[in-house]
Amino acid sequence: MKSEAEQFEKIPVTFHETSAEACQILAVEVGSLIRQRQAAGKHAVLGLATGSTPVPFYRELIKMHREEGLSFNNVITFNLDEYYGLDQQHRESYFRFMQEQLFEHIDIPEANINIPPGTVSRKEVYQACLDYERRIDAHGGIDIQILGIGRTGHIGFNEPGSTQESPTRMITLDKITREDAARDFLGIKNVPRFAITMGVGTILRAKRIVLMAWGENKAQIVRKAVEEPSTDAISASYLQSHPNAQFLLDRGATSGLTRECQPWLVGSNEWTDSLTRRAVTWLAGKQNKPILKLVDDDYNEHGMADLLTDQGPSYELNIRIFNELQHTISGWPGGKPDAEDGGRPEHAEPYPKHSLVLCPEPGDELLAMGGTINRLIEQGHRVDIGFLTSGNLGVDDESVERFAEVISDLVSAEAVSATAWEETTRFAEQLLLELKEKGPFGDDTETLRTLKSMVRRSEARHALRTCGVANDQVHFLDLPFYENSRYRRFHPSSDDADQLCQLMTKVKPHQIYMTGSASDPSSVSGVCYRLFRDALRASAKYEWPEQCRIWIYRSQEKPLESHEISMAVPMSPDQVKAKIHALAHYNNELTETGVESDFAIARVYDDLGLAEYEAIETFEAFGDFRT
Ligand code: GLP
């Protein structure tokens, strides 16, 4: 008989607290398959994936090879996909990715590795795809297929519209997929338009399939694939028809499933304060009613009769939750001086406060809390901003080009004396040459990367100045884990955490704002969040943390939901305009949608029957930081 959760989940889901734990377990399964086959003198056929998701799994396999002597001699691999048009040595080719992340660290024979060919001519594509399928079949099919999931719900590169029977073929990449890859390729215009991918049909022929997903940014697409009817709009949902498919998730990626969001629908509950708040706000949304208009029948009809028995009747429960939410709203994010602060999110004392806003990359501070920074400053607090990374990987070549061209033009327009500017002009010419030599796909030279950091720094300073933050309150840490690497290849060390700890110790904040608590651990914000936890632990020996409150802000992709919010800072229409104006200083595609989630949460509060604001920025209180 199906468990209650399984009535919603159409694919078996296994959940682990962290991706590291999940990968360890999967690696043990794959390791024992390889050993069993070795003992029987047979091959094990693995279907492999790229992207950041499988990287910790590959690390586990490498560890087993090194520490336990697991041999890959009898392993045959088939990769899901490859960008079309990239030669094997291109730094973003999946061929190279697989070499760097797995193959060059294990003893797999080169001849056993199969990756769809990205460089065959158009005329040869059809035949090459057919050959790929035949080769899989000739080896008896794939024993375990590893998958990640893209933001469009794709597996491999099976974009929306792919049919359940689709074979290995060439595909046009979706706009969202190309946007997601833009950072790896240092700009969307460098991202290939086509790829060769195993089809959904090819994948479904594997004997066992494990789809992995980490972090809250995957939560919504995971929910759709697992709980909604299968559709060609989300190719991962086709796994519902497979007899031995499994979703392997961490906490963040599970957070959209009914078992997490509406656990009262899938079994009996302990009605904790946070679950009660979640249930009541959900019910109001479902019934399209403000909280104070919910009646007993609404609760009874939605599996919450026991909540009423526990905490009813409905009007009392409604008022309690309404008041709790009402108390999250505060125009005083640094606390209201001289006011009774029992019902307010932040303490009145000390006043004024030192607030430290930590950001994985420049731009995060404004997107999440441009209005709040403004209020803090207007209310007399000191706000320091700490950028953990330079964000230079997000700056396009054009910015460097523009800088170099302005210098050259100044000289040729005789606006400055050519002799005095001789060296500067040479420098500008050198930059243009370096850009040309590396081409759109090449790695930035050190000078180019430094210059890109400077571009982002200047954008950040200008943007923050419009919010009233002076230059000496803006700290650029340029943490080494980022400077020395590229997206998906980050290896943080204790140096990174030490530098962050030093900044916190210097500022001695009364409040810290930070993000990344439920992000994919391999993303910039996921890495930064772990460093932050390390830095906090290292700071526990000082006095300042005793008075310090920590507020978590979220990314645009997965804003806080009403039941998670501990502080909601409202914004007037003029404050929204000021935020948009400040965001415009960043030459960054994200800024276009910068205030959408602020509008959305204001609408949610309004619909719940709370005050109607133009926009709201939201924060969650952090638990005990010594844990
Ligand atoms: C690309 C790959 C997919 C992968 C997806 C998600 O589109 N072709 O196989 O699942 O990216 O990548 P990530 O794991 O980095 O989130």
Side-chain angles (χ1 to χ4, degrees):
M1 208 175 99
K2 281 187 171 180
S3 76
E4 286 179 89
E6 283 163 357
Q7 286 164 22
F8 287 89
E9 294 166 11
K10 301 185 172 81
I11 305 176
V13 167
T14 310
F15 145 78
H16 294 277
E17 195 58 37
T18 64
S19 55
E21 257 174 60
C23 287
Q24 235 170 20
I25 287 169
L26 181 61
V28 169
E29 178 185 337
V30 171
S32 62
L33 172 83
I34 296 173
R35 286 195 182 103
Q36 268 170 28
R37 292 293 164 86
Q38 260 155 15
K42 291 187 178 156
H43 283 125
V45 185
L46 305 183
L48 299 180
T50 49
S52 42
T53 306
V55 170
F57 165 67
Y58 295 148
R59 285 201 196 125
E60 281 299 321
L61 290 182
I62 297 168
K63 202 164 130 205
M64 287 166 82
H65 171 67
R66 288 187 183 149
E67 294 175 8
E68 301 168 21
L70 174 70
S71 170
F72 289 78
N73 225 325
N74 67 324
V75 173
I76 296 182
T77 63
F78 285 92
N79 260 81
L80 281 168
D81 44 12
E82 178 60 286
Y83 288 109
Y84 184 69
L86 296 195
D87 69 69
Q88 292 189 333
Q89 283 322 312
H90 185 283
R91 61 187 190 122
E92 288 306 327
S93 81
Y94 284 165
F95 177 90
R96 187 154 156 199
F97 178 95
M98 288 308 300
Q99 296 295 330
E100 289 174 1
Q101 299 299 333
L102 180 65
F103 297 145
E104 64 191 34
H105 309 284
I106 56 177
D107 63 342
I108 186 167
E110 218 184 296
N112 291 9
I113 297 171
N114 297 281
I115 296 183
T119 47
V120 291
S121 71
R122 287 271 182 154
K123 270 201 284 189
E124 291 163 329
V125 166
Y126 177 75
Q127 189 57 44
C129 292
L130 213 60
D131 291 347
Y132 203 69
E133 293 268 324
R134 285 189 184 140
R135 230 174 310 145
I136 297 175
D137 291 342
H139 285 98
I142 291 170
D143 291 310
I144 298 188
Q145 174 66 56
I146 304 299
L147 298 174
I149 182 168
R151 203 153 46 107
T152 60
H154 66 222
I155 46 180
F157 268 133
N158 289 286
E159 297 289 23
S162 301
T163 65
Q164 186 158 4
E165 297 74 29
S166 51
T168 301
R169 69 206 186 286
M170 187 181 223
I171 190 142
T172 307
L173 296 179
D174 189 274
K175 184 169 169 275
I176 297 179
T177 303
R178 293 186 68 236
E179 275 168 16
D180 285 350
R183 297 201 136 193
D184 304 332
F185 282 88
L186 307 178
I188 192 152
K189 64 178 190 304
N190 302 334
V191 181
R193 293 186 177 275
F194 305 99
I196 298 197
T197 182
M198 272 189 201
V200 179
T202 328
I203 294 168
L204 289 178
R205 284 206 306 280
K207 291 165 199 140
R208 169 154 165 70
I209 303 177
V210 181
L211 184 148
M212 300 185 275
W214 323 131
E216 62 191 2
N217 288 349
K218 295 279 167 80
Q220 284 317 317
I221 197 69
V222 163
R223 183 188 61 75
K224 287 185 186 161
V226 172
E227 296 193 355
E228 288 185 3
S230 118
T231 156
D232 70 1
I234 298 173
S235 62
S237 69
Y238 285 131
L239 300 182
Q240 293 175 11
S241 67
H242 193 278
N244 193 8
Q246 176 196 1
F247 270 46
L248 189 60
L249 308 176
D250 71 351
R251 174 170 288 288
T254 320
S255 63
L257 296 177
T258 303
R259 65 159 96 187
E260 285 293 312
C261 296
Q262 294 99 37
W264 55 90
L265 297 178
V266 297
S268 60
N269 290 294
E270 198 192 320
W271 288 104
T272 59
D273 287 352
S274 104
L275 187 63
T276 306
R277 209 209 274 192
R278 171 173 239 168
V280 176
T281 50
W282 174 83
L283 187 62
K286 178 95 185 156
Q287 297 298 82
N288 215 356
K289 284 181 177 180
I291 292 177
L292 294 176
K293 286 194 181 172
L294 291 171
V295 293
D296 284 7
D297 279 353
D298 294 320
Y299 285 89
N300 291 332
E301 283 162 18
H302 289 87
M304 294 181 205
D306 60 332
L307 176 60
L308 283 190
T309 321
D310 235 29
Q311 305 184 29
S314 56
Y315 73 87
E316 274 182 19
L317 178 57
N318 295 346
I319 288 176
R320 204 186 86 217
I321 300 300
F322 178 87
N323 283 340
E324 274 179 36
L325 286 169
Q326 181 71 26
H327 284 141
T328 63
I329 304 175
S330 175
W332 299 85
K336 189 170 184 184
D338 302 325
E340 167 52 50
D341 62 8
R344 293 176 190 280
E346 183 53 280
H347 300 311
E349 298 295 329
Y351 177 83
K353 286 190 172 58
H354 283 181
S355 306
L356 176 60
V357 178
L358 294 177
C359 315
E361 292 180 87
D364 294 341
E365 78 293 2
L366 287 188
L367 281 172
M369 52 182 294
T372 305
I373 292 175
N374 210 264
R375 275 191 189 258
L376 284 167
I377 291 173
E378 279 179 358
Q379 291 165 4
H381 304 286
R382 179 188 162 107
V383 178
D384 282 83
I385 314 281
F387 293 118
L388 275 63
T389 73
S390 67
N392 60 21
L393 291 169
V395 178
D396 57 19
D397 290 352
E398 213 180 285
S399 308
V400 179
E401 233 162 46
R402 241 183 285 149
F403 170 83
E405 280 170 12
V406 169
I407 297 175
S408 308
D409 288 354
L410 263 180
V411 176
S412 40
E414 294 177 9
V416 292
S417 133
T419 22
W421 275 63
E422 220 169 289
E423 276 193 33
T424 318
T425 320
R426 264 208 302 277
F427 174 61
E429 278 163 5
Q430 177 63 26
L431 284 175
L432 289 171
L433 190 74
E434 284 180 23
L435 278 179
K436 199 167 151 214
E437 277 179 356
K438 92 177 173 79
F441 296 138
D443 273 327
D444 282 344
T445 60
E446 216 177 301
T447 324
L448 289 176
R449 219 166 149 172
T450 311
L451 198 84
K452 286 182 173 181
S453 301
M454 297 308 139
V455 167
R456 196 81 330 154
R457 273 191 189 198
S458 137
E459 288 171 354
R461 286 201 194 101
H462 278 85
L464 283 165
R465 233 176 281 153
T466 66
C467 303
V469 184
N471 279 358
D472 65 345
Q473 286 157 240
V474 186
H475 312 272
F476 297 96
L477 294 186
D478 292 354
L479 290 184
F481 86 86
Y482 183 94
E483 291 313 305
N484 303 334
S485 200
R486 306 201 329 255
Y487 286 106
R488 303 174 208 260
R489 316 274 209 276
F490 302 126
H491 292 284
S493 75
S494 57
D495 270 5
D496 298 293
D498 287 350
Q499 290 190 34
L500 180 53
C501 189
Q502 276 165 26
L503 174 67
M504 294 184 339
T505 312
K506 187 169 115 191
V507 175
K508 296 190 182 47
H510 302 110
Q511 310 186 295
I512 298 179
Y513 294 86
M514 179 54 180
T515 189
S517 53
S519 301
D520 173 346
S522 68
S523 64
V524 178
S525 60
V527 171
C528 287
Y529 184 73
R530 278 204 313 283
L531 293 171
F532 171 64
R533 299 289 303 246
D534 292 347
L536 276 181
R537 269 191 288 270
S539 306
K541 58 182 183 243
Y542 302 116
E543 255 174 49
W544 66 263
E546 278 170 27
Q547 277 204 34
C548 182
R549 305 271 306 263
I550 292 162
W551 296 100
I552 300 293
Y553 60 89
R554 284 275 184 84
S555 68
Q556 297 285 303
E557 287 91 22
K558 184 77 171 57
L560 290 169
E561 290 176 42
S562 50
H563 65 275
E564 297 171 306
I565 297 168
S566 327
M567 177 158 71
V569 182
M571 296 165 85
S572 69
D574 282 343
Q575 286 169 323
V576 173
K577 266 192 213 142
K579 176 166 174 172
I580 294 171
H581 173 68
L583 276 167
H585 288 81
Y586 281 106
N587 185 12
N588 183 339
E589 69 280 7
L590 280 178
T591 55
E592 282 170 29
T593 53
V595 284
E596 271 173 20
S597 59
D598 305 342
F599 286 137
I601 195 67
R603 277 195 301 274
V604 171
Y605 265 50
D606 182 25
D607 292 344
L608 290 172
L610 297 149
E612 181 180 352
Y613 290 103
E614 177 81 349
I616 295 180
E617 290 175 342
T618 58
F619 306 91
E620 186 180 21
F622 186 82
D624 182 4
F625 68 76
R626 286 180 183 82
T627 55

